[in-house]
Amino acid sequence: MAAPAPDQALLHPDNFFSSILSLNLAQLLGSTIAISIVLPLCRFVLRDYSNFLALGPGGTPSNFVGYLRISYLRLFTIKDPFRPPTATYSERPVNGFLRELPKRPQPRPSVAGIAPHRQTNQKPPKYLYQLLRIALYSLVSANSKLLRSGNSCFEKHGLALFLCPTHMNRTCKDTGEICHLHPSDSSMHLTLHPADAALVISQGWGERHPLAGCAILGLGGRLLPEGFVMVYAPQEVGQIGVLKDIVRAAGWWVGGVGLVSASEGQGVSTRVKA
């Protein structure tokens, strides 16, 4: 069977070159659109990745795999970190620990990230960080039957305080971690009773973590407790006493115990009955 004759109109030089030109213009337009989308996206990812690395070490590996994990977690963050967790009135302990807090005189610092979650300004001098570490160790010394120090379960590094031997409210893998300190900015993370979290936030001493109480699809539910809060770094020596009281409040929530401060002497405070 004879092959069909070629379309003579298509073989005409003017039509042939017009078809090639139309095809090239379509490819050029498609490439231009693709580049206009891909290049800004690449710039955004590179800048965002650099910002992620700049926050320093945290609970997520400081590499691109860690960055992709954080990018996924952003889909589940809370809308307002200054809105305290909702009290259900079925909590144990029933009441918070803190009765009052002074107003923090400085404006709130800028905060960024998820894991790590850090201040980007108002970073205090090194001596304030060291004084805060000493204050945390003094709590361990004054409550040696209840507290121990170690590396953070949440962050995998950095000084943390743990309540032992039993816990009323779970924090990180039931380790009893009540707080941990960040060397890079001198802020802390800890878990508080809803009433204490509300007071800390309203008085300007901290804010909730972006994932506090959030259910994460594919990761087995909540990664962090409802009352997981960042407490800002001290800006002056007089603020360290306030931060110690907030850490004591974390001990109250995790274990129902009223931790004594170093100035109150060695002792074990009353444990709330479950």
Side-chain angles (χ1 to χ4, degrees), residues 44-45 48-49 52 61 63-71 74:
F44 169 80
V45 170
D48 199 43
Y49 180 56
F52 164 72
N63 54 36
F64 199 72
V65 174
Y67 169 73
L68 291 177
R69 174 183 169 88
I70 293 305
S71 298
R74 285 174 179 165

Side-chain angles (χ1 to χ4, degrees), residues 25-73:
L25 286 175
Q27 291 176 334
L28 179 62
L29 180 60
S31 299
T32 301
I33 293 174
I35 291 172
S36 67
I37 294 173
V38 171
L39 280 182
L41 180 62
C42 289
R43 292 193 190 100
F44 169 80
V45 170
L46 287 174
R47 182 172 61 251
D48 199 43
Y49 180 56
S50 296
N51 292 337
F52 164 72
L53 295 178
L55 293 174
T60 303
S62 297
N63 54 36
F64 199 72
V65 174
Y67 169 73
L68 291 177
R69 174 183 169 88
I70 293 305
S71 298
Y72 175 69
L73 293 178

Side-chain angles (χ1 to χ4, degrees), residues 8 18-19 24 31 50 60 66 76 80-81 90 92 100 104 135 151 170 177 184 206 208 223 225 228 255 265 270:
Q8 297 300 320
S18 296
S19 300
N24 288 340
S31 299
S50 296
T60 303
F76 305 96
D80 183 4
S90 62
R92 295 290 296 170
E100 60 181 5
R104 186 176 184 268
N151 287 331
R170 181 184 174 94
E177 179 173 329
S184 61
R208 292 176 75 196
L223 295 181
F228 197 69
T270 303

